[in-house]
Amino acid sequence: MANHKSAEKRIRQTEKRTERNRYYRTRIKNIVKSVREAVANKDLQKANEAFKIANKELHRFVSKGILKKNTAARKVSRLNSAIKKMNDVA
C-alpha cells in the first residue's frame, strides 16, 4: 500500500485513467465491429451508415487525444476499403 500522500493520489489517478481508457478501447472496438459485421452480412446500406458513424467517432477521438491521427486514419481506410470491395463484388 502507498506510504505517501502523493502515491495515494497517483493510485486514484491511475484507477480513473484505467476506467476511462477501458471505456474508449471498448467503444472503438464496437464501432469497428459494427462496420465489419455489416460488410460480412453484405448489407451495403447498414455498412455505409455504420462507416459514417465510425469515421466521425474515430476522428473525434483523435481530437480528444485518445487515438493518434495515423491510427484513426488507418482504421477508417481499412473499413472504407472493405466497403469498396463489397461494392465491387456486388
Side-chain angles (χ1 to χ4, degrees), residues 5 9 16 20 28-29 31-32 46-47 49-50 58 61 64 67 69 78-79 81 84 86 89:
K5 275 201 172 285
K9 181 177 180 180
K16 281 187 211 172
R20 190 179 311 128
I28 291 165
K29 284 180 192 175
I31 289 168
V32 172
K46 193 172 182 182
E49 289 172 10
L58 291 173
F61 291 155
K64 287 185 162 204
L67 283 178
K69 188 176 176 183
R78 288 179 181 172
L79 293 174
S81 67
K84 282 187 176 182
M86 189 173 68
V89 173

PDB file of all heavy atoms in Angstrom, residues 5 9 16 20 28-29 31-32 46-47 49-50 58 61 64 67 69 78-79 81 84 86 89:
ATOM      1  N   LYS A   5       1.225  10.610   0.588  1.00  0.00           N
ATOM      2  CA  LYS A   5       0.006  11.198   0.029  1.00  0.00           C
ATOM      3  C   LYS A   5       0.062  11.225  -1.490  1.00  0.00           C
ATOM      4  O   LYS A   5      -0.932  10.949  -2.167  1.00  0.00           O
ATOM      5  CB  LYS A   5      -0.204  12.618   0.562  1.00  0.00           C
ATOM      6  CG  LYS A   5      -0.903  12.690   1.882  1.00  0.00           C
ATOM      7  CD  LYS A   5      -1.491  14.089   2.033  1.00  0.00           C
ATOM      8  CE  LYS A   5      -2.377  14.197   3.235  1.00  0.00           C
ATOM      9  NZ  LYS A   5      -3.661  13.565   3.061  1.00  0.00           N
ATOM     10  N   LYS A   9      -2.489   9.524  -4.221  1.00  0.00           N
ATOM     11  CA  LYS A   9      -3.130  10.286  -5.291  1.00  0.00           C
ATOM     12  C   LYS A   9      -2.866   9.625  -6.647  1.00  0.00           C
ATOM     13  O   LYS A   9      -3.764   9.527  -7.484  1.00  0.00           O
ATOM     14  CB  LYS A   9      -2.609  11.721  -5.295  1.00  0.00           C
ATOM     15  CG  LYS A   9      -3.241  12.593  -6.351  1.00  0.00           C
ATOM     16  CD  LYS A   9      -2.746  14.018  -6.274  1.00  0.00           C
ATOM     17  CE  LYS A   9      -3.383  14.869  -7.346  1.00  0.00           C
ATOM     18  NZ  LYS A   9      -2.917  16.266  -7.287  1.00  0.00           N
ATOM     19  N   LYS A  16      -8.768   6.023 -12.253  1.00  0.00           N
ATOM     20  CA  LYS A  16      -9.644   6.809 -13.129  1.00  0.00           C
ATOM     21  C   LYS A  16      -9.245   6.655 -14.587  1.00  0.00           C
ATOM     22  O   LYS A  16     -10.089   6.447 -15.460  1.00  0.00           O
ATOM     23  CB  LYS A  16      -9.564   8.298 -12.769  1.00  0.00           C
ATOM     24  CG  LYS A  16     -10.362   8.716 -11.582  1.00  0.00           C
ATOM     25  CD  LYS A  16     -10.304  10.228 -11.466  1.00  0.00           C
ATOM     26  CE  LYS A  16     -10.388  10.669 -10.036  1.00  0.00           C
ATOM     27  NZ  LYS A  16     -10.143  12.092  -9.870  1.00  0.00           N
ATOM     28  N   ARG A  20     -11.332   5.026 -17.755  1.00  0.00           N
ATOM     29  CA  ARG A  20     -11.597   5.841 -18.948  1.00  0.00           C
ATOM     30  C   ARG A  20     -11.040   5.169 -20.195  1.00  0.00           C
ATOM     31  O   ARG A  20     -11.720   5.077 -21.225  1.00  0.00           O
ATOM     32  CB  ARG A  20     -10.980   7.219 -18.767  1.00  0.00           C
ATOM     33  CG  ARG A  20     -11.386   8.209 -19.829  1.00  0.00           C
ATOM     34  CD  ARG A  20     -10.781   9.588 -19.623  1.00  0.00           C
ATOM     35  NE  ARG A  20     -10.962  10.074 -18.273  1.00  0.00           N
ATOM     36  CZ  ARG A  20      -9.984  10.530 -17.497  1.00  0.00           C
ATOM     37  NH1 ARG A  20      -8.742  10.562 -17.929  1.00  0.00           N
ATOM     38  NH2 ARG A  20     -10.227  10.973 -16.284  1.00  0.00           N
ATOM     39  N   ILE A  28     -14.189   1.884 -29.286  1.00  0.00           N
ATOM     40  CA  ILE A  28     -13.522   1.790 -30.590  1.00  0.00           C
ATOM     41  C   ILE A  28     -13.740   0.409 -31.199  1.00  0.00           C
ATOM     42  O   ILE A  28     -14.074   0.282 -32.382  1.00  0.00           O
ATOM     43  CB  ILE A  28     -12.017   2.109 -30.454  1.00  0.00           C
ATOM     44  CG1 ILE A  28     -11.836   3.590 -30.134  1.00  0.00           C
ATOM     45  CG2 ILE A  28     -11.250   1.728 -31.709  1.00  0.00           C
ATOM     46  CD1 ILE A  28     -10.462   3.958 -29.628  1.00  0.00           C
ATOM     47  N   LYS A  29     -13.577  -0.634 -30.384  1.00  0.00           N
ATOM     48  CA  LYS A  29     -13.779  -1.999 -30.883  1.00  0.00           C
ATOM     49  C   LYS A  29     -15.208  -2.183 -31.394  1.00  0.00           C
ATOM     50  O   LYS A  29     -15.433  -2.803 -32.444  1.00  0.00           O
ATOM     51  CB  LYS A  29     -13.504  -3.020 -29.786  1.00  0.00           C
ATOM     52  CG  LYS A  29     -12.041  -3.242 -29.487  1.00  0.00           C
ATOM     53  CD  LYS A  29     -11.922  -4.283 -28.385  1.00  0.00           C
ATOM     54  CE  LYS A  29     -10.522  -4.352 -27.832  1.00  0.00           C
ATOM     55  NZ  LYS A  29     -10.442  -5.278 -26.695  1.00  0.00           N
ATOM     56  N   ILE A  31     -17.336   0.112 -32.469  1.00  0.00           N
ATOM     57  CA  ILE A  31     -17.563   0.919 -33.670  1.00  0.00           C
ATOM     58  C   ILE A  31     -17.055   0.174 -34.896  1.00  0.00           C
ATOM     59  O   ILE A  31     -17.750   0.051 -35.908  1.00  0.00           O
ATOM     60  CB  ILE A  31     -16.863   2.290 -33.540  1.00  0.00           C
ATOM     61  CG1 ILE A  31     -17.586   3.164 -32.519  1.00  0.00           C
ATOM     62  CG2 ILE A  31     -16.777   2.996 -34.873  1.00  0.00           C
ATOM     63  CD1 ILE A  31     -16.807   4.404 -32.128  1.00  0.00           C
ATOM     64  N   VAL A  32     -15.824  -0.330 -34.812  1.00  0.00           N
ATOM     65  CA  VAL A  32     -15.220  -1.053 -35.933  1.00  0.00           C
ATOM     66  C   VAL A  32     -15.980  -2.344 -36.200  1.00  0.00           C
ATOM     67  O   VAL A  32     -16.245  -2.710 -37.354  1.00  0.00           O
ATOM     68  CB  VAL A  32     -13.726  -1.332 -35.649  1.00  0.00           C
ATOM     69  CG1 VAL A  32     -13.123  -2.247 -36.691  1.00  0.00           C
ATOM     70  CG2 VAL A  32     -12.960  -0.022 -35.572  1.00  0.00           C
ATOM     71  N   LYS A  46     -26.456  -0.564 -44.395  1.00  0.00           N
ATOM     72  CA  LYS A  46     -26.082  -0.582 -42.985  1.00  0.00           C
ATOM     73  C   LYS A  46     -24.576  -0.335 -42.819  1.00  0.00           C
ATOM     74  O   LYS A  46     -24.144   0.365 -41.892  1.00  0.00           O
ATOM     75  CB  LYS A  46     -26.472  -1.917 -42.355  1.00  0.00           C
ATOM     76  CG  LYS A  46     -26.416  -1.941 -40.860  1.00  0.00           C
ATOM     77  CD  LYS A  46     -27.004  -3.229 -40.321  1.00  0.00           C
ATOM     78  CE  LYS A  46     -26.983  -3.221 -38.808  1.00  0.00           C
ATOM     79  NZ  LYS A  46     -27.509  -4.467 -38.249  1.00  0.00           N
ATOM     80  N   ALA A  47     -23.791  -0.891 -43.730  1.00  0.00           N
ATOM     81  CA  ALA A  47     -22.336  -0.703 -43.678  1.00  0.00           C
ATOM     82  C   ALA A  47     -21.986   0.767 -43.874  1.00  0.00           C
ATOM     83  O   ALA A  47     -21.129   1.310 -43.167  1.00  0.00           O
ATOM     84  CB  ALA A  47     -21.659  -1.552 -44.739  1.00  0.00           C
ATOM     85  N   GLU A  49     -23.895   3.391 -43.255  1.00  0.00           N
ATOM     86  CA  GLU A  49     -24.334   4.149 -42.070  1.00  0.00           C
ATOM     87  C   GLU A  49     -23.355   3.950 -40.918  1.00  0.00           C
ATOM     88  O   GLU A  49     -22.974   4.911 -40.240  1.00  0.00           O
ATOM     89  CB  GLU A  49     -25.731   3.704 -41.649  1.00  0.00           C
ATOM     90  CG  GLU A  49     -26.825   4.135 -42.596  1.00  0.00           C
ATOM     91  CD  GLU A  49     -28.172   3.522 -42.258  1.00  0.00           C
ATOM     92  OE1 GLU A  49     -28.304   2.900 -41.177  1.00  0.00           O
ATOM     93  OE2 GLU A  49     -29.095   3.653 -43.079  1.00  0.00           O
ATOM     94  N   ALA A  50     -22.952   2.702 -40.703  1.00  0.00           N
ATOM     95  CA  ALA A  50     -22.012   2.408 -39.620  1.00  0.00           C
ATOM     96  C   ALA A  50     -20.659   3.048 -39.895  1.00  0.00           C
ATOM     97  O   ALA A  50     -19.999   3.550 -38.973  1.00  0.00           O
ATOM     98  CB  ALA A  50     -21.865   0.892 -39.451  1.00  0.00           C
ATOM     99  N   LEU A  58     -14.115   8.099 -34.681  1.00  0.00           N
ATOM    100  CA  LEU A  58     -12.675   7.888 -34.611  1.00  0.00           C
ATOM    101  C   LEU A  58     -11.923   9.205 -34.724  1.00  0.00           C
ATOM    102  O   LEU A  58     -10.953   9.436 -33.999  1.00  0.00           O
ATOM    103  CB  LEU A  58     -12.229   6.911 -35.700  1.00  0.00           C
ATOM    104  CG  LEU A  58     -12.692   5.466 -35.496  1.00  0.00           C
ATOM    105  CD1 LEU A  58     -12.355   4.618 -36.706  1.00  0.00           C
ATOM    106  CD2 LEU A  58     -12.086   4.868 -34.249  1.00  0.00           C
ATOM    107  N   PHE A  61     -12.177  11.059 -31.504  1.00  0.00           N
ATOM    108  CA  PHE A  61     -11.233  10.540 -30.527  1.00  0.00           C
ATOM    109  C   PHE A  61      -9.829  11.098 -30.763  1.00  0.00           C
ATOM    110  O   PHE A  61      -9.074  11.302 -29.828  1.00  0.00           O
ATOM    111  CB  PHE A  61     -11.204   9.011 -30.547  1.00  0.00           C
ATOM    112  CG  PHE A  61     -12.471   8.368 -30.038  1.00  0.00           C
ATOM    113  CD1 PHE A  61     -12.823   7.094 -30.438  1.00  0.00           C
ATOM    114  CD2 PHE A  61     -13.309   9.032 -29.163  1.00  0.00           C
ATOM    115  CE1 PHE A  61     -13.978   6.487 -29.966  1.00  0.00           C
ATOM    116  CE2 PHE A  61     -14.476   8.443 -28.690  1.00  0.00           C
ATOM    117  CZ  PHE A  61     -14.810   7.172 -29.092  1.00  0.00           C
ATOM    118  N   LYS A  64      -9.654  14.474 -29.224  1.00  0.00           N
ATOM    119  CA  LYS A  64      -9.604  14.409 -27.762  1.00  0.00           C
ATOM    120  C   LYS A  64      -8.282  13.845 -27.269  1.00  0.00           C
ATOM    121  O   LYS A  64      -8.036  13.796 -26.067  1.00  0.00           O
ATOM    122  CB  LYS A  64     -10.741  13.520 -27.231  1.00  0.00           C
ATOM    123  CG  LYS A  64     -12.095  14.144 -27.328  1.00  0.00           C
ATOM    124  CD  LYS A  64     -13.098  13.229 -26.665  1.00  0.00           C
ATOM    125  CE  LYS A  64     -14.359  13.985 -26.352  1.00  0.00           C
ATOM    126  NZ  LYS A  64     -15.108  13.368 -25.274  1.00  0.00           N
ATOM    127  N   LEU A  67      -6.823   8.709 -29.591  1.00  0.00           N
ATOM    128  CA  LEU A  67      -6.145   7.982 -30.663  1.00  0.00           C
ATOM    129  C   LEU A  67      -5.153   8.902 -31.352  1.00  0.00           C
ATOM    130  O   LEU A  67      -5.339  10.123 -31.370  1.00  0.00           O
ATOM    131  CB  LEU A  67      -7.157   7.526 -31.725  1.00  0.00           C
ATOM    132  CG  LEU A  67      -8.034   6.336 -31.449  1.00  0.00           C
ATOM    133  CD1 LEU A  67      -8.978   6.115 -32.616  1.00  0.00           C
ATOM    134  CD2 LEU A  67      -7.221   5.095 -31.204  1.00  0.00           C
ATOM    135  N   LYS A  69      -3.481  10.300 -34.816  1.00  0.00           N
ATOM    136  CA  LYS A  69      -4.069  10.645 -36.111  1.00  0.00           C
ATOM    137  C   LYS A  69      -3.920   9.509 -37.128  1.00  0.00           C
ATOM    138  O   LYS A  69      -4.878   9.132 -37.804  1.00  0.00           O
ATOM    139  CB  LYS A  69      -3.397  11.911 -36.635  1.00  0.00           C
ATOM    140  CG  LYS A  69      -4.016  12.496 -37.853  1.00  0.00           C
ATOM    141  CD  LYS A  69      -3.310  13.796 -38.204  1.00  0.00           C
ATOM    142  CE  LYS A  69      -3.841  14.384 -39.477  1.00  0.00           C
ATOM    143  NZ  LYS A  69      -3.104  15.604 -39.855  1.00  0.00           N
ATOM    144  N   ARG A  78      -9.077   1.162 -43.730  1.00  0.00           N
ATOM    145  CA  ARG A  78      -9.341  -0.277 -43.861  1.00  0.00           C
ATOM    146  C   ARG A  78     -10.827  -0.581 -43.901  1.00  0.00           C
ATOM    147  O   ARG A  78     -11.270  -1.459 -44.659  1.00  0.00           O
ATOM    148  CB  ARG A  78      -8.666  -1.037 -42.728  1.00  0.00           C
ATOM    149  CG  ARG A  78      -7.167  -1.073 -42.902  1.00  0.00           C
ATOM    150  CD  ARG A  78      -6.468  -1.785 -41.783  1.00  0.00           C
ATOM    151  NE  ARG A  78      -5.021  -1.751 -42.010  1.00  0.00           N
ATOM    152  CZ  ARG A  78      -4.126  -2.163 -41.134  1.00  0.00           C
ATOM    153  NH1 ARG A  78      -4.513  -2.648 -39.972  1.00  0.00           N
ATOM    154  NH2 ARG A  78      -2.841  -2.101 -41.407  1.00  0.00           N
ATOM    155  N   LEU A  79     -11.605   0.148 -43.115  1.00  0.00           N
ATOM    156  CA  LEU A  79     -13.058  -0.045 -43.155  1.00  0.00           C
ATOM    157  C   LEU A  79     -13.612   0.372 -44.515  1.00  0.00           C
ATOM    158  O   LEU A  79     -14.454  -0.313 -45.101  1.00  0.00           O
ATOM    159  CB  LEU A  79     -13.733   0.753 -42.039  1.00  0.00           C
ATOM    160  CG  LEU A  79     -13.444   0.293 -40.610  1.00  0.00           C
ATOM    161  CD1 LEU A  79     -14.060   1.256 -39.612  1.00  0.00           C
ATOM    162  CD2 LEU A  79     -13.956  -1.112 -40.384  1.00  0.00           C
ATOM    163  N   SER A  81     -12.018   0.477 -47.389  1.00  0.00           N
ATOM    164  CA  SER A  81     -11.628  -0.457 -48.441  1.00  0.00           C
ATOM    165  C   SER A  81     -12.470  -1.729 -48.382  1.00  0.00           C
ATOM    166  O   SER A  81     -12.789  -2.321 -49.419  1.00  0.00           O
ATOM    167  CB  SER A  81     -10.140  -0.790 -48.361  1.00  0.00           C
ATOM    168  OG  SER A  81      -9.867  -1.504 -47.195  1.00  0.00           O
ATOM    169  N   LYS A  84     -15.669  -0.845 -50.070  1.00  0.00           N
ATOM    170  CA  LYS A  84     -15.460  -0.741 -51.528  1.00  0.00           C
ATOM    171  C   LYS A  84     -15.344  -2.113 -52.166  1.00  0.00           C
ATOM    172  O   LYS A  84     -15.872  -2.326 -53.265  1.00  0.00           O
ATOM    173  CB  LYS A  84     -14.215   0.083 -51.830  1.00  0.00           C
ATOM    174  CG  LYS A  84     -14.444   1.563 -51.683  1.00  0.00           C
ATOM    175  CD  LYS A  84     -13.238   2.342 -52.146  1.00  0.00           C
ATOM    176  CE  LYS A  84     -13.517   3.824 -52.088  1.00  0.00           C
ATOM    177  NZ  LYS A  84     -12.384   4.616 -52.576  1.00  0.00           N
ATOM    178  N   MET A  86     -16.801  -4.756 -51.131  1.00  0.00           N
ATOM    179  CA  MET A  86     -18.153  -5.283 -51.165  1.00  0.00           C
ATOM    180  C   MET A  86     -18.922  -4.682 -52.338  1.00  0.00           C
ATOM    181  O   MET A  86     -19.690  -5.380 -53.000  1.00  0.00           O
ATOM    182  CB  MET A  86     -18.857  -4.952 -49.849  1.00  0.00           C
ATOM    183  CG  MET A  86     -20.200  -5.623 -49.679  1.00  0.00           C
ATOM    184  SD  MET A  86     -20.895  -5.373 -48.052  1.00  0.00           S
ATOM    185  CE  MET A  86     -21.234  -3.636 -48.076  1.00  0.00           C
ATOM    186  N   VAL A  89     -17.795  -6.398 -55.676  1.00  0.00           N
ATOM    187  CA  VAL A  89     -18.315  -7.759 -55.828  1.00  0.00           C
ATOM    188  C   VAL A  89     -19.778  -7.725 -56.233  1.00  0.00           C
ATOM    189  O   VAL A  89     -20.247  -8.487 -57.061  1.00  0.00           O
ATOM    190  CB  VAL A  89     -18.117  -8.570 -54.525  1.00  0.00           C
ATOM    191  CG1 VAL A  89     -18.812  -9.911 -54.613  1.00  0.00           C
ATOM    192  CG2 VAL A  89     -16.630  -8.755 -54.266  1.00  0.00           C
TER     193      VAL A  89
END
